[in-house]
Each structure stands twice: as C-alpha cells, then as structure tokens.
C-alpha cells in the first residue's frame, strides 16, 4: 500500500523517516542524508508530512510543500507525549511525529515565508547587538568605578562620559582598554541603527504591521515582529488563545472544582512577550499623567494591584487586541464610552 503519512525527524546531516499506510502499518523506516531528502519526497505520491517546529523546520516545510505534499509543523512539546518511554532515539522520534500529526486536536505551527523569517532574523540580530551593547556599557561603568569615576545612570549619561574619556585622569593602560570598549559601543550603536532602519522600512511596506502600530503601546519594532511571528491569526480561535500562546496568562493548577492560579506561564516567544510588557509599562506611565476621565480602567487597576501585575494584564489585553486587528485586517479604533442615561 502507498504511504499516506510521513514523520520526518530533522537533523543537520542524517534525517530519519517513518512512513505508514492507511491501515497504520509501517511501510518505510530509514535514514536519509541531507542531499537525499528532496529526492525522496519528490518520488512519493502527495501525502501528509509531519515535522517538529525546530531549527530549519520552516525551510524544509517550504521545500516539501512545493513538491505537492501537505506539511504540518508540530510544537516539540506536543510530540514528546507520543515518544515511547525508554526509547528516545531518532527512529522513535520520527514514529512519534507520524503519530502526533494525525491527531484531530493537535495544535500546529503556521509555516513562515522567507520574507517573514528574514524580518525575524533582523530582530534576533538587533536583540543580540543590544545585549552586547548593554554588556559593554556595564563593563565600562564598572572599570571607571574602580578608579573613583562614577557615571550617572542611563546610556545617554554614560555617552557623555565616553566623549571626554581622554580628559579623565586614568593610567595609560586603563585608558587604552576603555577606548577599545568605547569603540565597540559606538560600533554596536551604528549596527543597531542600521538594523532598525531596515525593520522600519519593512514595517512601512507591510499593511499588517502598520495596522498593529495603531494599538497604544505598540510601535514599529513590536508591530513588525508580531506581524512576522503571527503569520496566520486564524491558527488561534480568539485573542485569549494568542495571549496564552505568548505566556501572558496565569498558570493553572485546578482540581476538584477549585481554581488555583499562579504566575504567568512564560510560554512562547520570550522576546515578543518582553516587548509587549515594555509597551504596556509605557502606557501605564502615560496613563498616570492623563486627565480625569481617561485611562480609568488602568487607574482603577493600579489602585488595587501592583504595577508589575497591571503591566502583565495590559500586555495580555494588547495581545488580544492585536489578534483582532490581524484577523480583521483593520486598524485599532478606540472605543468611545457611552454616557450613562440619567
């Protein structure tokens, strides 16, 4: 009988294939070298192919889908439940993928295009450079403190100190090292600015990203990464599912009819969740200065809850609004409160 379902365990060089027929009988179980994968799937009749959503998965999904197959990406945590206990190897993983991909209630990961992955590479590279810049600034501040020079907090204040580095009273060896750090900081800043320029250009040419930027607390950086990450909003039934996917909902440990909620799950994309929380923090800071009658929901919540909890609640709300904006293909419109009837 012909193969109807294939589980493919990805790797750098040696891939494992597990194919079954309509009756669930194993038809093929073999290893493929990297250069053999395309030819193998080209020779198969169109079938269902399951892959773990790991590194290189989107590339292989696009390639195999172009050959006429139906490809589905499965989160690795969902595949783990189908791996036989005590049999963790490539063949068992491929069999587990072939089993998991046929489950009716399985959640799948939308396949990203090259354009969407390219934008995400821009963001990942920017995040790396921002972390490197922070490390360099902290190192420079610590080295200066060893010689009694303490700079004010904030990158801008430290930049003023860097500008007059040659005027400070320091040993020559120390000055030589700190000048090298200062040059690295300047280089990081220039590279970050170049990447942000490219991100902004993509944002301006993408309708979904522009629509997301109309939401309070979401700027071009967050909007572009949201548009590239959530490529198919229909994968989520509602905005609450998107918020849960981003890890912005409480962890549940409920039983016996008693609801027990803990801290947020922190599942999903950490960098995207961080951007949403930072945007929510900015909105809260602005809401505190608003005139009476504006931002009352936030002000009421801040009166009862700690600010950090409020920022998470607002980030959750922003994620749900983002799902609605992406699903409808429209901009965000602020709801005007209806005055009470006397």
């Amino acid at each position: 009988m012909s193969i109807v379902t294939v589980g493919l365990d990805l790797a750098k060089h040696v891939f494992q294939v597990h194919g079954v027929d309509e009756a669930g009988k194993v038809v093929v179980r073999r290893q493929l070298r990297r250069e053999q994968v395309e030819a193998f799937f080209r020779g198969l009749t169109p079938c269902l192919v399951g892959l773990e959503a790991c590194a290189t998965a989107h590339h292989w999904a696009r390639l195999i889908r172009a050959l006429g197959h139906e490809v589905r990406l499965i989160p690795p945590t969902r595949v783990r439940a189908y791996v036989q206990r005590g049999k963790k190897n490539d063949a068992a993983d491929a069999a587990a993928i072939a089993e998991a991909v046929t489950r009716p209630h399985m959640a799948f990961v939308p396949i990203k295009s090259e354009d969407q992955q390219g934008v995400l590479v821009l963001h990942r590279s920017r995040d790396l450079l921002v972390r490197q810049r922070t490390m360099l600034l902290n190192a420079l501040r610590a080295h200066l403190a060893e010689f009694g020079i303490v700079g004010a907090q904030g990158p801008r204040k430290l930049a003023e100190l860097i500008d007059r580095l040659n005027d400070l009273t320091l040993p020559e060896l120390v000055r030589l090292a700190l000048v090298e750090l200062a040059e690295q900081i300047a280089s990081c800043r220039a590279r970050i600015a170049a990447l942000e320029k490219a991100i902004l250009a993509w944002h301006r040419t993408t309708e979904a990203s522009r629509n997301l930027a109309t939401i309070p607390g979401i700027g071009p950086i967050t909007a572009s990464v949201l548009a590239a990450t959530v490529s198919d909003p229909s994968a989520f039934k509602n905005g609450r599912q998107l918020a849960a996917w981003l890890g912005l909902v409480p962890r549940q440990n409920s039983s016996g009819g008693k609801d027990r909620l803990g801290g947020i799950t922190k599942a999903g994309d950490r960098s995207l969740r961080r951007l949403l929380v930072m945007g929510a923090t900015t909105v809260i800071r602005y809401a505190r200065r608003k005139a009476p009658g504006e931002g009352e929901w936030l002000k009421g919540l801040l009166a009862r809850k700690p600010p950090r909890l409020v920022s998470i609640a607002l980030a959750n709300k922003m994620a749900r609004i983002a799902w609605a904006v992406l699903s409808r293909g429209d901009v965000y419109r602020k709801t005007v409160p209806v005055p009470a009837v006397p």
Side-chain angles (χ1 to χ4, degrees):
M1 298 181 69
S2 61
I3 297 175
V4 297
T5 306
V6 175
L8 179 64
D9 185 53
L10 301 176
K12 290 183 180 179
H13 303 293
V14 181
F15 297 68
Q16 183 72 36
V17 172
H18 185 94
V20 297
D21 59 16
E22 294 180 357
K25 182 180 178 181
V26 179
V27 178
V28 59
R29 184 191 291 118
R30 57 172 291 192
Q31 290 183 344
L32 296 173
R33 302 294 298 182
R34 185 181 183 87
E35 59 273 9
Q36 297 174 322
V37 175
E38 183 176 356
F40 173 81
F41 284 100
R42 191 183 298 276
L44 290 181
T45 55
C47 60
L48 175 62
V49 181
L51 308 174
E52 271 190 337
C54 56
T56 73
H58 292 276
H59 162 73
W60 289 110
R62 290 193 298 266
L63 188 148
I64 295 171
R65 186 172 59 180
L67 298 176
H69 301 284
E70 180 184 357
V71 184
R72 296 177 182 174
L73 298 182
I74 313 171
T77 54
R78 300 296 183 94
V79 176
R80 193 178 304 153
Y82 295 89
V83 178
Q84 295 185 25
R85 186 175 180 181
K87 294 184 178 180
K88 180 66 176 73
N89 53 56
D90 291 347
D93 289 346
I97 294 169
E99 175 69 18
V101 75
T102 59
R103 298 301 90 197
H105 301 295
M106 181 60 63
F108 299 106
V109 178
I111 300 172
K112 292 182 175 60
S113 65
E114 289 186 350
D115 182 53
Q116 291 167 334
Q117 281 195 290
V119 176
L120 292 177
V121 169
L122 283 177
H123 281 280
R124 301 294 181 267
S125 302
R126 176 185 174 274
D127 286 345
L128 176 60
L129 289 172
V130 168
R131 290 197 302 270
Q132 289 179 349
R133 182 185 62 183
T134 303
M135 293 169 62
L136 290 167
L137 288 170
N138 290 340
L140 183 62
R141 187 188 303 277
H143 294 328
L144 287 172
E146 291 293 333
F147 294 90
I149 303 172
V150 179
Q153 290 187 353
R156 293 181 181 178
K157 296 295 184 180
L158 194 58
E160 297 174 1
L161 197 59
I162 292 173
D163 292 338
R164 56 188 185 90
L165 197 59
N166 292 325
D167 300 331
L168 299 176
T169 304
L170 292 169
E172 192 58 35
L173 292 177
V174 175
R175 192 189 313 279
L176 176 64
L178 296 187
V179 167
E180 291 293 333
L181 290 180
E183 291 178 357
Q184 287 292 325
I185 292 170
S187 176
C188 280
R189 283 175 175 162
R191 292 171 182 174
I192 291 170
L195 291 178
E196 288 179 347
K197 184 178 179 181
I199 291 171
L200 185 59
W202 186 87
H203 162 76
R204 288 172 175 170
T205 58
T206 307
E207 182 182 3
S209 184
R210 294 197 307 271
N211 291 344
L212 287 168
T214 61
I215 303 173
I218 294 182
I221 296 294
T222 308
S224 57
V225 73
L226 255 175
T229 303
V230 188
S231 56
D232 182 14
S234 63
F236 306 95
K237 292 183 180 179
N238 49 47
R240 292 177 181 178
Q241 282 196 356
L242 176 59
W245 181 70
L246 291 172
L248 290 169
V249 297
R251 187 182 302 277
Q252 293 193 35
N253 188 20
S254 304
S255 180
K258 294 183 179 180
D259 294 334
R260 298 183 181 89
L261 302 179
I264 60 172
T265 63
K266 296 185 180 180
D269 193 324
R270 180 184 300 178
S271 62
L272 181 51
R273 184 171 59 253
R274 184 183 71 246
L275 288 171
L276 286 172
V277 173
M278 290 171 60
T281 304
T282 304
V283 173
I284 291 172
R285 188 180 298 117
Y286 176 69
R288 284 174 167 170
R289 301 194 300 266
K290 279 185 176 181
E294 296 187 28
E296 293 304 316
W297 177 79
L298 273 179
K299 290 178 181 178
L301 203 56
L302 285 167
R304 304 189 308 270
K305 302 293 183 180
R308 179 51 64 195
L309 191 149
V310 176
S311 66
I312 297 298
L314 182 56
N316 180 297
K317 186 176 182 179
M318 289 164 56
R320 289 185 278 121
I321 294 173
W323 177 85
V325 168
L326 288 171
S327 299
R328 299 170 185 173
D330 200 358
V331 299
Y332 169 76
R333 291 182 175 85
K334 183 178 179 181
T335 303
V336 180
V338 179
V341 178

